[in-house]
Amino acid sequence: MNSNALETKDRREEHEQFYTSRELGRLLLSLLPGKTWVSGKLNVLDLCMGQGALLECVSEIAPQAALFGTDIDPVNIDAVNLNDQLDIDARCIDATTPELRRIYSKKYFDVIVGNPPFKLIHNDKYIKRELESVGYSSRSTYIEAEIYFLLYGLKILKNGGYLAYILPDGIFTKVSLKGLRKFLVSNFCVHSVMEIEPGYFDGTEAKTHLLIIQKDSPTKSVVSLFKDEHPTQVITNYEFEERGDYSFYSKACALKMKTLESLGVEIFRGRNTKKVLLGFGVENYIHTTHISHSGSILKTSSFADDKLVATKGDIVIARVGTRCLGKFGVVESGQFYVSDCVFIIRSDNPKNQRLILNTLSSSFGRNWIKSVSKGVGARHITTTDLYQLPIIVGNNENT
Ligand SMILES: C[S@@+](CC[C@H](N)C(=O)[O-])C[C@H]1O[C@@H](n2cnc3c(N)ncnc32)[C@H](O)[C@@H]1O
């Protein structure tokens, strides 16, 4: 090997220079909603642009977009500047240093794309501070560069803007990165993850995933997982915290927990406001104040004269109220009027009733309900979400 080739090889290794094939770049961008590209004025950035492969794919779809890129390697900057087909504002910097802030301190981007280097970097004061400024803290001495680039990208995205990254498997599977996944689904809209098998495209020797996140508060409670032609899997945000890779869920499919839907239960929403119920002048009504987080037994000797009433065996669960979500109870006798702040879960199978109660009283059940709840003010859950409540079967009721 001559010295030039050796130098290139060393640089490749040092900076993790694996460039994205056009095919993979196009696939990544195809996961973004079409409306992303319609704006006449779009600022698009790649913090580790290499020779501009991803930005080139952007310019195919959005020729009007203003392209920005940084890279640590001057050879890449020269290559970008020599490319007549591409007009990129290219800067040669180490994007893990304060220099980055200096360049883009006043700029926010509509779209950020990236295939960052997959390597450990020193988690120095600057990096810690930048991560803390987005609400993420890591005390470890070293941190994955891809985490820094992911979070920094989210920081300088415009509100409502999209981030599209190629990331290593560990981000979606490592137990030690559960906190990162939780941080992502708790603070942003994680739209989708597409799994790419090793070697599927040129330059993807390792298993990678394409991740699409919108900088928006988490209004969705599910993440879509894709893998080439396989059917889409939809997982809850709570499941994403555990793992976010397609393969895990497709393998686990057969073993997957039952859901309220698969138990064949019916869910009804109470109709009467509390004010109306108080106007009835009755005591046998259920509102969120009558049920508890540990589960309440509800008994009455009265009957209720309404189209929808809760009767023996019915499970009631709070539907709305940040502090009330997760409260539940079971009717042991009589009939109750039901407020519009609770759902009735009805199953005529006593074994299923027990399984549902076990799930609702477990920390798993409580966390799940919290994680699917939505709303900026008073959080609430929907029937659609509740039908997907995974039911714990077997002996692990206290999970
Ligand atoms: C995996 S390559 C991807 C390049 C390009 N985004 C693509 O998709 O083809 C990672 C790039 O990050 C650059 N890089 C590595 N460390 C960097 C740093 N600290 N600051 C800026 N760029 C860096 C490398 O030079 C390399 O071009």
Side-chain angles (χ1 to χ4, degrees):
M1 211 183 273
N2 67 31
S3 66
N4 265 354
L6 252 180
E7 214 181 276
T8 308
K9 183 171 170 280
D10 287 350
R11 260 206 332 270
R12 253 195 102 141
E13 280 169 10
E14 186 186 347
H15 301 312
E16 283 283 305
Q17 291 174 325
F18 300 99
Y19 299 127
T20 309
S21 70
R22 195 165 282 221
E23 235 183 327
L24 181 57
R26 286 177 183 149
L27 179 63
L28 174 70
L29 300 184
S30 74
L31 298 178
L32 289 166
K35 65 176 180 1
T36 313
W37 310 110
V38 294
S39 160
K41 273 184 91 193
L42 268 181
N43 289 334
V44 184
L45 170 73
D46 185 343
L47 288 166
C48 305
M49 70 172 167
Q51 306 202 342
L54 287 173
L55 290 175
E56 210 168 336
C57 294
V58 170
S59 73
E60 288 175 359
I61 315 178
Q64 82 284 16
L67 307 177
F68 299 82
T70 60
D71 201 280
I72 200 168
D73 186 349
V75 173
N76 283 339
I77 305 298
D78 287 346
V80 167
N81 287 334
L82 285 172
N83 184 343
D84 300 338
Q85 311 296 314
L86 263 182
D87 184 10
I88 300 179
D89 176 335
R91 310 288 182 102
C92 187
I93 56 160
D94 177 347
T96 63
T97 63
E99 199 159 349
L100 183 60
R101 201 168 44 197
R102 197 178 52 70
I103 298 180
Y104 295 134
S105 64
K106 294 216 173 65
K107 212 161 186 64
Y108 283 87
F109 295 88
D110 301 279
V111 180
I112 300 197
V113 291
N115 179 5
F118 306 166
K119 62 177 182 183
L120 284 176
I121 52 173
H122 189 225
N123 190 13
D124 60 19
K125 248 194 195 157
Y126 161 76
I127 291 186
K128 281 199 179 106
R129 200 159 358 105
E130 287 303 320
L131 298 189
E132 272 160 21
S133 73
V134 281
Y136 184 79
S137 77
S138 161
R139 273 190 240 123
S140 55
T141 318
Y142 292 93
I143 186 165
E144 290 84 348
E146 57 273 23
I147 295 181
Y148 163 79
F149 283 112
L150 171 63
L151 298 178
Y152 198 93
L154 288 167
K155 175 177 166 149
I156 56 173
L157 255 188
K158 276 186 190 158
N159 287 334
Y162 280 90
L163 177 138
Y165 267 30
I166 301 169
L167 290 166
D169 197 47
I171 297 283
F172 303 90
T173 57
K174 277 188 186 166
V175 176
S176 59
L177 294 184
K178 183 174 167 182
L180 172 75
R181 293 188 291 275
K182 186 177 170 109
F183 173 78
L184 294 176
V185 283
S186 310
N187 293 285
F188 303 96
C189 249
V190 179
H191 275 258
S192 50
V193 180
M194 179 179 263
E195 185 170 305
I196 308 292
E197 277 303 320
Y200 201 84
F201 291 99
D202 283 350
T204 57
E205 282 77 14
K207 187 186 256 191
T208 47
H209 302 258
L210 313 182
L211 171 68
I212 304 295
I213 299 186
Q214 187 179 20
K215 185 168 179 176
D216 204 348
S217 33
T219 46
K220 277 169 15 70
S221 56
V222 292
V223 179
S224 304
L225 304 185
F226 305 105
K227 184 173 177 176
D228 48 55
E229 302 300 307
H230 296 68
T232 307
Q233 305 253 1
V234 178
I235 60 168
T236 63
N237 284 354
Y238 180 77
E239 287 172 312
F240 180 82
E241 287 174 21
E242 296 300 323
R243 290 209 38 160
D245 56 325
Y246 187 97
S247 291
F248 175 76
Y249 291 96
S250 60
K251 283 195 200 100
C253 213
L255 307 168
K256 217 173 167 185
M257 289 169 165
K258 289 180 182 296
T259 60
L260 271 188
E261 189 171 35
S262 72
L263 293 185
V265 306
E266 286 183 291
I267 299 177
F268 306 97
R269 178 179 159 175
R271 302 147 188 264
N272 302 304
T273 61
K274 189 176 174 201
K275 200 168 160 201
V276 166
L277 290 172
L278 290 174
F280 288 170
V282 294
E283 294 208 333
N284 57 326
Y285 71 91
I286 305 170
H287 183 58
T288 48
T289 41
H290 300 110
I291 50 183
S292 64
H293 286 284
S294 52
S296 305
I297 305 282
L298 303 154
K299 293 187 211 176
T300 177
S301 50
S302 306
F303 290 90
D305 180 20
D306 203 356
K307 277 197 184 127
L308 177 71
V309 296
T311 59
K312 186 171 163 42
D314 281 349
I315 294 165
V316 285
I317 172 166
R319 182 187 70 77
V320 63
T322 311
R323 277 195 297 264
C324 295
L325 285 179
K327 285 178 160 193
F328 69 101
V330 59
V331 178
E332 208 170 83
S333 61
Q335 289 186 336
F336 288 88
Y337 296 90
V338 194
S339 103
D340 58 0
C341 293
V342 301
F343 283 129
I344 300 175
I345 303 172
R346 183 165 293 160
S347 163
D348 51 15
N349 179 333
K351 190 174 155 231
N352 286 347
Q353 289 168 4
R354 271 197 307 281
L355 289 177
I356 297 166
L357 289 170
N358 280 336
T359 301
L360 292 177
S361 59
S362 69
S363 58
F364 166 79
R366 282 194 294 273
N367 286 333
W368 190 92
I369 285 171
K370 222 192 297 165
S371 76
V372 299
S373 69
K374 11 183 170 306
V376 184
R379 313 258 322 155
H380 67 277
I381 50 172
T382 63
T383 24
T384 316
D385 285 333
L386 191 55
Y387 271 119
Q388 296 314 312
L389 170 72
I391 298 301
I392 300 169
V393 286
N395 295 325
N396 48 350
E397 282 92 15
N398 295 318
T399 318

